[in-house]
Amino acid sequence: RYEPMLVTYVDILGFGELVTRKSAGEISRILRVFNEETAPPRFKHDIPGMPTEDYVSFSDLTLTCTPLGKRGNQGAVFNQILRNIHAQSILLIDEGVLIRGGITVGPATKSYRKYFGPAIIEAYKLEQKKPGHPRILVDESVLRAVRENPLLWIHDREDELQAVERFLARDEAGNSFVDYLRIAVEEVEDGAFVVNEHDKLINKRLAEYATEPDIRAKYEWLRSYHDQTVAQLTRTKRRRLR
């Protein structure tokens, strides 16, 4: 039977091109980092009824599913998004690799070691959503689950919703996505280094793909995201200094 699940579907953008440009060893390192950062933590527990996240990885694709109908889910959405923030920032800064994906909540199940259901399809559609910007989209169903499911709250509804919304940004069309750059800059000791490396990579790729408009458009979006994020961080810093 289907049950409500938090589903995250993420893959590496332009993986086919990466395979043609990098050695097997380099690809192996990228996939190791990708899998380590997106996979849920592995630990043993003896709390009856606590659900466990399940993780599937194939080539450059990862799928994480968390049942939400049982006790023990406190902070599940928060932790899932945080892992993907780390994955995005580390892969982009250290490896020059972009990822994209979708996070949703809906009915899904596992049978014969295979996950399937409407939530899996919806997460895939989010990942494939045109024009394919390098971002992880977060469906409204995720925030709705945080608002309505007390099993997800560490303290109360307001604290949990605020914690999750802090991780998100919205584009002009109202789509929510993981605001990885802002969170990374705020969390690390040397935020200026993160900003500079992010900026350099974007400039480099804009030049590399000057004659390939489809690919360049992804970095043009990333340039806009970068500039807007830096402007927001600057405004926040000025307010704090007043």
Side-chain angles (χ1 to χ4, degrees):
R1 295 180 180 180
Y2 289 137
E3 61 179 311
M5 287 192 182
L6 172 68
V7 177
T8 302
Y9 186 108
V10 182
D11 69 3
I12 295 175
L13 192 61
F15 186 68
E17 182 185 2
L18 279 177
V19 170
T20 65
R21 291 193 293 106
K22 295 183 178 292
S23 69
E26 290 173 315
I27 294 295
S28 176
R29 184 183 68 247
I30 290 170
L31 291 177
R32 175 178 56 79
V33 173
F34 180 47
N35 290 334
E36 287 177 352
E37 294 302 325
T38 56
R42 304 295 184 185
F43 62 91
K44 293 182 180 180
H45 59 74
D46 56 1
I47 303 176
M50 175 177 281
T52 57
E53 297 167 303
D54 211 342
Y55 177 80
V56 179
S57 175
F58 175 77
S59 186
D60 66 317
L61 163 68
T62 66
L63 177 69
T64 306
C65 300
T66 308
L68 298 183
K70 299 178 182 179
R71 292 166 44 196
N73 281 313
Q74 295 92 336
V77 175
F78 176 92
N79 290 323
Q80 182 67 290
I81 295 177
L82 182 60
R83 284 199 297 273
N84 281 278
I85 287 173
H86 291 159
Q88 281 184 286
S89 54
I90 290 171
L91 283 167
L92 197 147
I93 301 301
D94 292 352
E95 305 290 345
V97 170
L98 303 175
I99 63 176
R100 68 181 179 188
I103 304 177
T104 189
V105 168
T109 193
K110 183 181 183 181
S111 180
Y112 295 99
R113 295 185 293 179
K114 303 292 184 183
Y115 275 103
F116 59 91
I120 310 295
I121 302 300
E122 185 59 31
Y124 169 76
K125 287 181 178 179
L126 287 172
E127 185 272 337
Q128 290 286 311
K129 189 169 184 175
K130 300 301 181 182
H133 296 320
R135 61 185 180 177
I136 298 175
L137 288 167
V138 179
D139 189 67
E140 178 60 30
S141 61
V142 177
L143 294 176
R144 184 164 60 249
V146 174
R147 286 193 294 268
E148 298 175 358
N149 187 351
L151 297 176
L152 300 178
W153 307 342
I154 296 176
H155 299 294
D156 56 38
R157 182 206 312 262
E158 287 70 25
D159 282 350
E160 198 67 27
L161 190 59
Q162 185 178 16
V164 172
E165 288 182 329
R166 176 178 171 268
F167 286 161
L168 306 180
R170 288 186 181 269
D171 62 17
E172 294 179 353
N175 299 303
S176 295
F177 62 95
V178 177
D179 195 4
Y180 72 91
L181 178 60
R182 179 178 57 82
I183 300 301
V185 171
E186 291 177 345
E187 287 193 348
V188 302
E189 184 174 343
D190 190 357
F193 172 79
V194 174
V195 169
N196 290 335
E197 291 299 306
H198 199 255
D199 184 66
K200 286 193 296 185
L201 176 68
I202 295 169
N203 289 337
K204 177 182 177 182
R205 296 293 170 78
L206 286 172
E208 285 180 1
Y209 297 111
T211 59
E212 299 182 58
D214 289 344
I215 300 178
R216 182 183 167 87
K218 303 181 189 308
Y219 291 96
E220 289 174 344
W221 179 88
L222 203 60
R223 164 54 61 202
S224 176
Y225 167 61
H226 175 96
D227 293 345
Q228 291 175 14
T229 302
V230 170
Q232 180 183 358
L233 289 166
T234 301
R235 289 193 298 270
T236 300
K237 184 177 180 179
R238 287 174 179 170
R239 285 197 298 268
R240 289 173 178 171
L241 293 174
R242 289 176 183 173

